[in-house]
Amino acid sequence: MAKALLFLIAEDNRAAALERHLTRALKDQFGDDEQHTVLLMRAVADDFFHDPASAAYPRPDVVLELASAPGRPLAGSLPGLEAALDDAPLAGQRSLALVMLERQVIPCPPQPVHYHYLMLKADGFSQADYLDYYCNFHARFGLNTPAIAGYSQNIVDLPGSEDLAARLGLGYREVTSISELKMPSLQAFAADPGVLAIAEPAALDEARFVNRAKSVMFNSAVILRLGNFEVIGEAVFPQHFPA
């Protein structure tokens, strides 16, 4: 299904003010909207996944997800998104707007924690070969990750992302795909020994096709959920791999 992810950085370290503004504005714009779902997420404190020294991309204060119902274009929601961001205390060019196709490899009901891994293809890899390997081979690591409820592969639309960033006054950078894990508890995920066991072979496999030095990962906790997630959840892509 069509989805936009905004990775937002607050102006002058005003993360709490940005949260308050978006919570009010999103309720006003999408509170009665049955054709879209909205998630607002905040950065998790002491996030063991994020490397503060990473030069790839600064960790966002807030992540905003906007998804369309099956068969509905995302474009119809953009005026509401523009209105929600109007006068928000944002560091616009340090923030990031991306448009994508979400491939729900393991569908799940809404979860309180989301892990995002913004991935850039390795030099010399074509877009087609990257996506072939990512979707048809690398997906097995997400399928076999313990202590999660859901797993999505988000295929980024680069021209659409550049257009959306310009429309919203936000930044743009090349991201090839976003791996997304959805989980009930970050603590349970971190404590599961199976997570460490799969992390090393997953990283080795990524070295085949991902520019890991220019990729970045972090966790976020959901603070606002709007829309009919049962309708949106009907957009499920076929399962191609055994669990």
Side-chain angles (χ1 to χ4, degrees), residues 90-176:
L90 274 174
Q93 292 306 306
R94 296 183 63 218
S95 299
L96 179 65
L98 296 172
V99 178
M100 62 208 65
L101 164 70
E102 180 177 10
R103 177 176 180 266
Q104 294 186 11
V105 184
I106 303 177
C108 69
Q111 299 295 312
V113 179
H114 287 230
Y115 158 92
H116 294 102
Y117 182 22
L118 283 63
M119 305 162 73
L120 180 66
K121 67 181 181 66
D123 293 342
F125 240 92
S126 71
Q127 185 89 351
D129 287 343
Y130 174 97
L131 293 177
D132 177 46
Y133 195 87
Y134 177 59
C135 295
N136 295 314
F137 298 94
H138 187 70
R140 68 185 185 273
F141 292 101
L143 280 164
N144 290 294
T145 297
I148 63 170
Y151 167 48
S152 291
Q153 292 183 320
N154 298 286
I155 312 304
V156 177
D157 172 0
L158 293 176
S161 297
E162 193 166 13
D163 290 345
L164 179 63
R167 177 169 178 167
L168 299 178
L170 302 179
Y172 166 79
R173 69 184 286 263
E174 184 179 353
V175 175
T176 314

